[in-house]
Amino acid sequence: MARSQEEILKDINYDESKVPVYTLPSPLDRPGGGRVTSAYEWVNRRRGEVLDFYKKEVYGQLPPRPDKMWFETLSVRRDALDNTAVRKEIRIHLEMNNGRSHSFVMLLYIPRNLREPAPVFLGLNFKGNHATTDETDVMMTGRNIAGELVEPDGHAVQVHRWQFRETIRRGYASATVCYHDIYPDCYSADGWHHSVYDLFYPDENAEEIHAHGSSISAWAWGLSRMLDALENEPAVNPAKAAVHGHSRLGKTSLWAGATDTRFRLVISNDSGCGGAALFKRCFGENLEAILRPVPYWFVKNLQQYINNEAALPFDQHWLISLVAPRPVCIASATEDLWADPKGEFLSGVHASEVYRLFGAEGLGTETMPPPDQPITGEISYHLRTGKHDQTLEDWLHYWTLADRLFRP
Ligand code: GCU
């Protein structure tokens, strides 16, 4: 019998002394024996095995490419954000030869008067494009399975998570889509056939799709389609793309970074359980607590490890490793114990051995830094003072990392 969420929450551990003793399998060990010792072997042999493992056991397969994709410019404003940006709304159309179709709207800001195409941040939003900006003439997006707006009154409520004005001032473009429009996060099994999966598997039932897919894979796939659309924008440099996401969308940005190497910088903000945090620590949210309410975020197979994290033949440092040698940023917040800041830090520590194959340092330390003192290696980590959120302080760090990578 599955326990109620109330019972599950009662048993959540927030005591460091009760973290079980665990051993972390190294991503460098091959399943049949032997150990990867070079970047060549990692790239050409082991990375593919780890990626396939993740598709089978954690996030499922990404949907395939649609038969046809086209980008419809819905609006353009050349005087956006007090005349500093060009703002576009672009509908990304996905179509199949059998007539099925799906679409979602991307909000894009590009700095005006740049001499060269702008590097770009891209991320999914929770409450609709209209929630990310204080400009009132932006289209409301983000619909539930009944086709209704999820946040009809959500105008500008998450502006602080996006920081468009400062991002533009620093010479970056920024793009966003509401995650519900790719896969509606409806806390039931009804999302599948209202999501992009319905393009490809209309004849499979929810359980059949769940055997090979997940909403996190759908969202990550959506980020890649956003980048496809950005490849069509002359004022944006798609070779300088940073993917970012907060919380469940931070889990998603890591998976997007793992599955699409076009993302040159991968940022996960407070991604926690099923994101950067190590499962085996069972500190804060654990597999039972996440998989009971939202099983569809992950592929069905992950359920076999509920209350049995010790038996996991991997942990989330493998996910960070899949980004190597590209820079990855892991961000935590001091009051966000549910997401296990230390577990998020440790996955960076343990992924470092893969970065070292490339002559990079990775995180470069095993000591967790104090709050507000970022570590800025190829694997970077910071622990912001405060709550579960994505704030200006987090962005200050993201802009620094992007400056270093994209404007050396
Ligand atoms: C819940 C969930 C987390 C998730 C978070 C969010 O708290 O348990 O895993 O990261 O929602 O996305 O806001």
Side-chain angles (χ1 to χ4, degrees):
M1 247 295 271
R3 303 198 301 157
S4 71
Q5 195 65 3
E6 207 179 1
E7 286 171 302
I8 296 171
L9 293 182
K10 229 171 35 231
D11 290 344
I12 293 292
N13 176 41
Y14 291 111
D15 180 346
E16 196 58 43
S17 72
K18 296 207 175 104
V19 168
V21 176
Y22 57 87
T23 26
L24 285 182
S26 166
L28 298 179
D29 289 335
R30 304 282 306 276
R35 190 171 161 83
V36 169
T37 55
S38 67
Y40 177 87
E41 286 175 282
W42 173 261
V43 169
N44 294 296
R45 303 210 178 93
R46 183 66 183 141
R47 187 179 185 279
E49 289 172 355
V50 172
L51 193 58
D52 286 347
F53 178 88
Y54 261 81
K55 290 180 177 169
K56 194 164 152 278
E57 301 286 307
V58 189
Y59 304 114
Q61 305 278 346
L62 268 65
R65 271 177 173 270
D67 293 332
K68 201 159 83 201
M69 212 171 21
W70 57 284
F71 312 118
E72 180 188 7
T73 303
L74 303 175
S75 77
V76 183
R77 269 198 84 133
R78 302 198 179 278
D79 59 351
L81 301 177
D82 306 319
N83 243 343
T84 60
V86 175
R87 190 188 76 208
K88 291 190 176 187
E89 290 167 296
I90 298 166
R91 187 176 287 280
I92 299 178
H93 290 272
L94 314 157
E95 292 178 358
M96 301 301 282
N97 293 338
N98 62 13
R100 303 188 86 81
S101 66
H102 191 102
S103 72
F104 42 80
V105 176
M106 176 169 80
L107 171 65
L108 169 64
Y109 285 105
I110 309 169
R112 280 184 45 168
N113 307 326
L114 275 192
R115 259 176 279 120
E116 45 187 45
V120 61
F121 284 93
L122 27 343
L124 300 175
N125 68 70
F126 281 83
K127 293 176 186 276
N129 294 350
H130 57 295
T132 65
T133 176
D134 54 19
E135 296 194 307
T136 48
D137 56 339
V138 161
M139 217 173 129
M140 298 216 267
T141 66
R143 292 183 186 269
N144 62 22
I145 56 177
E148 302 149 345
L149 284 167
V150 170
E151 295 284 342
D153 303 320
H155 171 68
V157 292
Q158 296 198 323
V159 166
H160 68 285
R161 287 203 181 157
W162 293 86
Q163 303 289 338
F164 287 135
R165 280 193 161 68
E166 185 59 16
T167 301
I168 289 291
R169 196 188 69 74
R170 290 171 186 250
Y172 292 94
S174 194
T176 185
V177 166
C178 181
Y179 82 136
H180 290 293
D181 294 338
I182 298 166
Y183 186 114
D185 197 8
C186 59
Y187 287 73
S188 83
D190 298 337
W192 298 106
H193 285 298
H194 292 88
S195 78
V196 293
Y197 279 106
D198 200 47
L199 284 175
F200 308 101
Y201 312 105
D203 301 329
E204 293 186 7
N205 65 31
E207 209 179 318
E208 286 164 332
I209 307 179
H210 196 195
H212 60 78
S214 74
S215 64
I216 288 184
S217 271
W219 297 325
W221 180 92
L223 284 162
S224 290
R225 302 295 73 80
M226 287 169 67
L227 189 49
D228 296 342
L230 292 170
E231 285 177 343
N232 254 30
E233 286 295 320
V236 169
N237 185 347
K240 296 186 171 180
V243 65
H244 67 99
H246 169 64
S247 209
R248 70 199 70 174
L249 298 176
K251 311 181 206 302
T252 302
S253 59
L254 287 173
W255 185 227
T259 51
D260 190 338
T261 54
R262 290 176 300 168
F263 294 119
R264 303 300 304 158
L265 170 61
V266 179
I267 298 166
S268 79
N269 193 85
D270 303 355
S271 60
C273 181
L278 293 177
F279 287 121
K280 286 176 186 281
R281 278 173 43 82
C282 296
F283 184 104
E285 187 173 29
N286 57 34
L287 275 176
E288 186 183 24
I290 199 167
L291 290 178
R292 293 298 184 223
V294 283
Y296 60 90
W297 284 7
F298 301 88
V299 76
K300 181 126 199 291
N301 264 349
L302 191 62
Q303 296 179 4
Q304 64 187 297
Y305 301 107
I306 288 179
N307 290 323
N308 197 15
E309 278 88 348
L312 285 165
F314 73 102
D315 213 325
Q316 291 299 78
H317 58 308
W318 287 30
L319 176 62
I320 308 295
S321 305
L322 285 170
V323 181
R326 290 165 290 148
V328 61
C329 171
I330 303 171
S332 310
T334 51
E335 292 170 40
D336 189 17
L337 297 184
W338 180 244
D340 187 15
K342 186 166 178 194
E344 294 177 319
F345 171 75
L346 286 174
S347 68
V349 169
H350 294 288
S352 296
E353 61 178 351
V354 176
Y355 279 77
R356 285 196 290 269
L357 294 178
F358 293 87
E361 251 198 334
L363 198 56
T365 176
E366 300 199 350
T367 310
M368 190 153 165
D372 308 313
Q373 294 191 22
I375 297 173
T376 58
E378 300 86 11
I379 300 178
S380 87
Y381 177 82
H382 74 270
L383 175 64
R384 170 179 50 75
T385 298
K387 291 193 195 334
H388 185 70
D389 201 354
Q390 179 161 306
T391 70
L392 177 61
E393 286 71 35
D394 296 309
W395 275 102
L396 286 169
H397 187 48
Y398 304 151
W399 292 318
T400 304
L401 294 174
D403 284 350
R404 197 174 61 189
L405 184 65
F406 297 141
R407 317 170 179 286

